[in-house]
Amino acid sequence: ISHGHGGSHSSSGGSTLLGYIGIDTIIEQMRKKTMKTGFDFNIMVVGPSGLGKSTLVNTLFKSQVSRKSAGWARDEKIPKTVEIKSVSHVIEEGGVKMKLTIVDTPGFGDQINNDNCWEPISKYINEQFEKFLKEEVNITRKKRIPDTRVHCCLYFIPPTGHCLRQLDVEFMRRLSHSVNIIPVIAKSDTMTIEERQEFKQRVRKELENNGIEFYPQKEFDDDMEDKSDNDKIRETMPFAVVGSDKEHQVNGKRVLGRKTAWGIIEVENPNHCEFAQLRDFLIRSHLQDLKEVTHNIHYETYRAKRLNDNGGLHPISSNDTQESNL
Amino acid sequence: MQQKNLDGYVGFASLPNQVYRKSVKRGFEFTLMVVGESGLGKSTLINSLFLTDLYSAEYPGPSHRIKKTVEQSKVLIKEGGVQLLLTIVDTPGFGDAVDNSNCWQPIIDHIDSKFEDYLNSESRVNRRQMPDSRIHCCLYFIAPSGHGLKPLDIEFMKRLHEKVNVIPLIAKADTLTPEECQQFKKQIMREIQEHKIKIYEFPETDDEEENRLVKKIKDKLPLAVVGSNTIIEVNSKRVRGRQYPWGVAEVENSDHCDFTILRDMLIRTHMQDLKDVTNNVHYENYRSRKLAAVTYNGVDNNKAKGQLSTKSPLAQMEEERREHVAKMKKMEMEMEQVFEMKVKEKVQKLKDSEAELQRRHEQMKKNLEAQHKELEEKRRVFEEERANWETQQRLEQQKLEASRTLEKNKKKGKIF
């Protein structure tokens, strides 16, 4: 949203108002509009099988939204190549509708030879950018371009307790410039608190050494307030999470958790794991920012590269069913 | 064959005791291999199994050191007068790369080389020293994904189940809830059967009691284990465990994991059987394959070290004698070389000291000469002075005489 100043007043200090005008109601107007149209959010989960990706997504959105719950069998065979499978749901809360798309990548990192297993994923992300670009370049554009671009990629790091694997580094290095990557440590109930701290530090150092900029990227911090907020978040990343869609009774309350023979792991208890932090960060504070960074930065980078490569795009009318001149 | 009844007590019932005493004196050897991806707790489990810090801060586990593909550590442990030479073969870096094709090859090569060593030492004429470094058991660590076996797991086990006793374990089992663990185990066993992988089978015995125990173990395969290096206080007892904010996972509590079952089976009940199966089945397979390869072609197929000859024992003995003589000669030559080198050194040293002495001698002579000259100089000066002094004396004398003569003449003159 950009606020334009009236043409006659060139001072940007702002003049004092002589009475109540009602400019601040624009926020309410925006809210009403958004509630009517709803919005899209596309999240991709990447990691080798068995790290609890589907469970975590279900826990995040408190509903059975993952691919596994939408009808596929639980002990499906590991596919021979990396597949991209996406499932969409419309969820509603407080009058706000969200079309949530989960993109799953079964087969990533599961083979004996995992060379180039990141390529199908990279291709998919670029394809979504391409789709959006084509729509944008049309002469008669749709009123609201459907946004299938990947806004956020949760990368699951296995809790080895030692350091990042080669595969992790390779993937993140190659994709951190086309999509917002949020690394999470999966199944973190494997580690004690000290082990977890050490592991996190080592992972952060390795990410830094390899020049991997995960979201929130330092270079996109708008102002000091943003920077200090984001710095705090960056210090605790990668979030060590535990997912669960089962409820148990703890102290008279029903909580989401995992019941083991030596205790119950509460998913939303900040002393047990960092799931609550991840959820707040992802959904309650930075959801819109993720979309904006994807649109303003990642998409723009893609677009600029495409335009430069082709020496210019020729807009096509929507009646044209032949191949575009792109 | 007929079985005869005895009329009295003969005494050969004590044979087991005799065997036992001999074995205890000899001590036992056991070689254990651990295979699995990085970070599955292999080193920790070994420490927990043998209640020693095989890998500690001063001697960290293979994951903390420069990576080699196959690493061996030996430790000698004693308990109740029985001595066990334990060798742990670790495989750091297994399955950690992006492309893991053939990562099992170094392991297969290692196992084969141990078989070959044994085969060679068995074929010698002098067999007094026969160290058994064959791998008796391979613990394969499966990551606790909760789904099933990974392609890498299946490939590895398929290639090794005919060479070594494979015992699959679920690592870091405190990640799984009891239900998840059950499901996971069932899934794994299903896949193992599907791919016809022959994991180590517990032998059937005639004893009812033992059979029940064995059946209990079989139901729990693959064993889900947890290892720990730290000791924690729980209900005023000190146990090995892992401290979480939600509780303590105890390693030796059979409700928490199958660690005690693994330890009992591996060390207390089936260690000897593992060695026997290795010797009677896996080693024999290797041996027959190797020998068949040799005799089939008539030409020796294996030119590498470990050439198996099919000559007669006399020829073999001759060859060994020649080997021995060659070895002795080599040692002799080496010693001579060393001796010569030492002699040369000493000669050089002596020469050096001689030169040193010579130099000093020259130096002293020079000093002496210098002093001599100085003295000469002094003497000359002295002589000169003396001469001067004498001349002066004479002059004085002459003067005196002259004056006396003058006075005499004066006196004479006056008298006239």
Side-chain angles (χ1 to χ4, degrees):
Chain A
I1 324 115
S2 58
H3 299 275
H5 285 282
S8 41
H9 292 276
S10 47
S11 65
S12 47
S15 35
T16 45
L17 299 172
L18 302 168
Y20 175 68
I21 303 181
I23 300 178
D24 55 359
T25 58
I26 190 161
I27 302 215
E28 183 62 31
Q29 297 171 32
M30 275 173 54
R31 203 174 72 79
K32 281 216 192 102
K33 273 270 165 91
T34 319
M35 277 180 63
K36 267 208 234 143
T37 53
F39 56 103
D40 303 336
F41 189 62
N42 307 322
I43 181 171
M44 176 185 262
V45 281
V46 182
S49 91
L51 282 183
K53 303 189 289 290
S54 311
T55 313
L56 187 74
V57 168
N58 283 351
T59 321
L60 267 175
F61 295 101
K62 286 234 170 91
S63 50
Q64 304 283 322
V65 287
S66 74
R67 178 179 64 91
K68 293 266 169 79
S69 336
W72 278 264
R74 188 171 184 358
D75 39 21
E76 215 177 272
K77 295 277 178 190
I78 296 176
K80 293 284 174 184
T81 52
V82 178
E83 297 173 349
I84 311 274
K85 293 213 174 114
S86 73
V87 172
S88 296
H89 297 267
V90 175
I91 49 183
E92 184 177 327
E93 190 184 55
V96 179
K97 284 205 203 77
M98 175 158 90
K99 177 157 172 278
L100 175 68
T101 307
I102 317 273
V103 182
D104 201 346
T105 54
F108 178 84
D110 287 331
Q111 316 307 326
I112 294 178
N113 182 352
N114 289 314
D115 264 340
N116 298 325
C117 63
W118 45 79
E119 272 183 16
I121 299 174
S122 194
K123 204 164 80 133
Y124 177 81
I125 293 176
N126 286 341
E127 270 170 16
Q128 308 315 307
F129 283 152
E130 185 66 30
K131 251 196 246 175
F132 197 86
L133 184 62
K134 278 219 181 101
E135 290 289 339
E136 238 192 10
V137 159
N138 261 336
I139 294 179
T140 43
R141 293 200 283 205
K142 292 209 187 96
K143 181 170 166 191
R144 196 169 152 251
I145 304 179
D147 189 358
T148 55
R149 298 170 296 185
V150 178
H151 299 129
C152 162
C153 172
L154 285 181
Y155 186 77
F156 285 68
I157 299 174
T160 58
H162 290 309
C163 55
L164 282 180
R165 299 173 307 157
Q166 235 210 303
L167 179 61
D168 304 332
V169 171
E170 283 298 309
F171 177 85
M172 287 198 269
R173 220 161 37 92
R174 285 156 200 272
L175 266 86
S176 59
H177 296 291
S178 31
V179 71
N180 297 320
I181 295 191
I182 298 183
V184 292
I185 299 178
K187 293 199 169 175
S188 65
D189 55 340
T190 316
M191 300 188 281
T192 63
I193 302 289
E194 301 90 46
E195 287 169 358
R196 184 207 291 178
Q197 287 299 99
E198 277 178 24
F199 185 48
K200 273 216 255 185
Q201 265 183 353
R202 248 172 286 166
V203 168
R204 260 206 302 275
K205 189 114 78 76
E206 270 199 65
L207 288 173
E208 211 181 287
N209 288 348
N210 282 296
I212 297 172
E213 284 264 9
F214 51 86
Y215 179 85
Q217 295 95 334
K218 286 204 195 103
E219 39 184 349
F220 305 145
D221 284 336
D222 287 328
D223 51 29
M224 282 315 291
E225 195 188 318
D226 261 357
K227 189 165 170 345
S228 74
D229 284 341
N230 285 347
D231 271 346
K232 265 196 235 120
I233 292 173
R234 279 188 284 259
E235 278 302 298
T236 47
M237 277 176 87
F239 294 114
V241 295
V242 175
S244 170
D245 41 14
K246 294 204 186 59
E247 285 190 335
H248 298 277
Q249 195 92 352
V250 171
N251 294 341
K253 279 195 298 154
R254 289 196 68 76
V255 288
L256 283 176
R258 291 169 60 71
K259 187 155 187 276
T260 62
W262 46 89
I264 296 184
I265 304 164
E266 295 167 47
V267 166
E268 285 171 326
N269 183 336
N271 293 333
H272 288 191
C273 75
E274 291 170 345
F275 169 78
Q277 268 177 294
L278 172 68
R279 181 200 48 208
D280 292 346
F281 166 68
L282 193 58
I283 299 177
R284 295 180 191 177
S285 55
H286 285 70
L287 193 69
Q288 184 59 24
D289 188 52
L290 278 164
K291 292 178 65 171
E292 279 182 18
V293 172
T294 309
H295 180 70
N296 294 341
I297 295 171
H298 295 303
Y299 172 67
E300 288 300 315
T301 316
Y302 177 80
R303 184 170 169 277
K305 204 164 91 68
R306 283 287 272 121
L307 294 182
N308 273 335
D309 283 345
N310 279 20
L313 290 169
H314 302 279
I316 29 170
S317 69
S318 55
N319 302 335
D320 199 336
T321 49
Q322 288 174 327
E323 284 247 338
S324 70
N325 307 1
L326 288 173
Chain B
M1 236 187 291
Q2 268 190 320
Q3 187 172 338
K4 290 247 159 140
N5 284 337
L6 301 171
D7 293 325
Y9 177 68
V10 178
F12 60 80
S14 67
L15 268 170
N17 280 351
Q18 296 175 28
V19 172
Y20 168 76
R21 258 179 284 142
K22 278 228 163 143
S23 316
V24 168
K25 250 203 278 174
R26 237 199 331 242
F28 294 89
E29 292 176 304
F30 191 68
T31 308
L32 177 69
M33 176 183 260
V34 282
V35 184
E37 285 175 10
S38 236
L40 285 182
K42 303 185 289 289
S43 310
T44 313
L45 188 75
I46 292 181
N47 280 352
S48 312
L49 265 177
F50 295 100
L51 287 181
T52 62
D53 284 330
L54 209 70
Y55 299 122
S56 60
E58 300 93 51
Y59 180 61
S63 35
H64 298 277
R65 287 178 281 165
I66 310 168
K67 298 230 184 265
K68 291 195 265 188
T69 38
V70 175
E71 272 217 14
Q72 217 168 257
S73 336
K74 280 194 203 280
V75 76
L76 188 65
I77 27 185
K78 275 198 188 168
E79 190 185 60
V82 178
Q83 195 164 268
L84 176 68
L85 176 63
L86 178 70
T87 311
I88 309 280
V89 180
D90 207 326
T91 52
F94 176 81
D96 284 340
V98 177
D99 181 0
N100 291 314
S101 325
N102 291 321
C103 62
W104 46 77
Q105 199 56 42
I107 298 172
I108 293 183
D109 290 341
H110 185 256
I111 295 177
D112 277 345
S113 83
K114 294 293 171 201
F115 277 153
E116 198 166 303
D117 287 345
Y118 193 76
L119 185 61
N120 285 341
S121 62
E122 214 186 31
S123 318
R124 294 175 75 81
V125 176
N126 179 4
R127 297 203 291 194
R128 201 154 306 156
Q129 292 275 5
M130 267 216 309
D132 185 2
S133 57
R134 297 171 293 185
I135 313 267
H136 299 124
C137 171
C138 175
L139 294 177
Y140 186 73
F141 285 67
I142 299 173
S145 64
H147 290 311
L149 289 176
K150 289 201 263 208
L152 180 61
D153 301 336
I154 297 174
E155 268 306 309
F156 179 84
M157 287 201 275
K158 263 168 70 174
R159 279 163 199 275
L160 261 86
H161 65 162
E162 309 231 288
K163 288 190 180 277
V164 71
N165 297 319
V166 174
I167 298 183
L169 299 172
I170 299 177
K172 292 196 168 176
D174 51 347
T175 318
L176 303 164
T177 65
E179 304 87 40
E180 289 169 354
C181 200
Q182 279 293 87
Q183 239 182 330
F184 191 38
K185 284 187 187 185
K186 277 209 199 85
Q187 178 66 17
I188 292 181
M189 288 314 279
R190 230 182 314 188
E191 287 187 24
I192 286 183
Q193 272 171 5
E194 198 184 300
H195 287 98
K196 300 211 189 21
I197 295 173
K198 290 193 233 129
I199 57 175
Y200 172 68
E201 263 192 46
F202 298 86
E204 298 274 332
T205 55
D206 300 324
D207 190 3
E208 263 299 313
E209 183 74 35
E210 270 196 47
N211 263 348
R212 240 177 299 148
L213 276 165
V214 168
K215 187 160 179 332
K216 257 207 298 184
I217 299 179
K218 279 200 177 154
D219 284 339
K220 292 202 177 208
L221 283 181
L223 299 172
V225 292
V226 176
S228 171
N229 280 334
T230 48
I231 300 189
I232 303 176
E233 280 242 0
V234 171
N235 296 340
S236 67
K237 266 199 306 153
R238 287 170 67 77
V239 289
R240 269 198 185 231
R242 292 172 61 71
Q243 173 96 46
Y244 293 110
W246 47 86
V248 176
E250 296 170 42
V251 167
E252 286 170 335
N253 184 336
S254 51
D255 291 328
H256 290 188
C257 73
D258 300 327
F259 173 79
T260 35
I261 300 182
L262 173 70
R263 184 193 54 201
D264 292 346
M265 179 221 64
L266 194 61
I267 301 177
R268 294 178 194 180
T269 48
H270 287 80
M271 193 182 255
Q272 188 55 39
D273 185 64
L274 282 164
K275 289 175 72 167
D276 287 341
V277 173
T278 310
N279 190 33
N280 301 341
V281 177
H282 298 295
Y283 173 65
E284 288 301 318
N285 277 345
Y286 173 82
R287 187 171 171 275
S288 47
R289 247 182 291 136
K290 201 79 190 291
L291 294 181
V294 169
T295 53
Y296 178 66
N297 277 354
V299 181
D300 260 331
N301 278 341
N302 15 337
K303 288 293 176 188
K305 60 163 179 174
Q307 194 168 343
L308 191 58
S309 61
T310 45
K311 307 185 208 142
S312 72
L314 278 172
Q316 179 83 344
M317 199 150 70
E318 191 52 44
E319 192 177 311
E320 280 183 25
R321 196 184 68 84
R322 252 182 286 136
E323 251 183 60
H324 187 82
V325 165
K327 213 163 80 165
M328 289 287 125
K329 254 214 162 79
K330 197 163 125 203
M331 271 174 63
E332 203 182 311
M333 262 183 29
E334 273 176 25
M335 279 212 253
E336 257 180 65
Q337 268 182 7
V338 170
F339 180 72
E340 278 207 28
M341 209 178 55
K342 287 218 171 167
V343 164
K344 244 201 279 201
E345 265 182 43
K346 204 73 195 268
V347 165
Q348 186 65 17
K349 243 206 261 159
L350 285 172
K351 270 212 198 110
D352 283 341
S353 57
E354 208 183 302
E356 177 78 21
L357 279 171
Q358 188 81 350
R359 206 177 45 80
R360 265 203 252 154
H361 181 81
E362 299 277 320
Q363 186 83 341
M364 269 208 259
K365 236 170 62 168
K366 269 211 204 85
N367 277 357
L368 218 62
E369 277 194 23
Q371 278 187 6
H372 201 82
K373 271 212 191 81
E374 236 183 84
L375 273 172
E376 287 279 338
E377 182 71 27
K378 273 205 190 138
R379 175 183 250 220
R380 198 178 48 82
V381 168
F382 174 71
E383 292 284 334
E384 245 182 61
E385 275 191 28
R386 194 163 83 155
N388 278 355
W389 187 77
E390 279 187 8
T391 323
Q392 259 200 355
Q393 281 294 89
R394 246 181 281 136
L395 272 175
E396 296 279 310
Q397 191 84 327
Q398 274 182 3
K399 254 201 225 153
L400 207 61
E401 282 210 9
S403 68
R404 267 202 222 130
T405 321
L406 214 64
E407 278 203 21
K408 241 199 231 173
N409 284 351
K410 262 192 195 160
K411 266 193 196 161
K412 266 191 192 166
K414 272 187 184 157
I415 300 172
F416 289 122

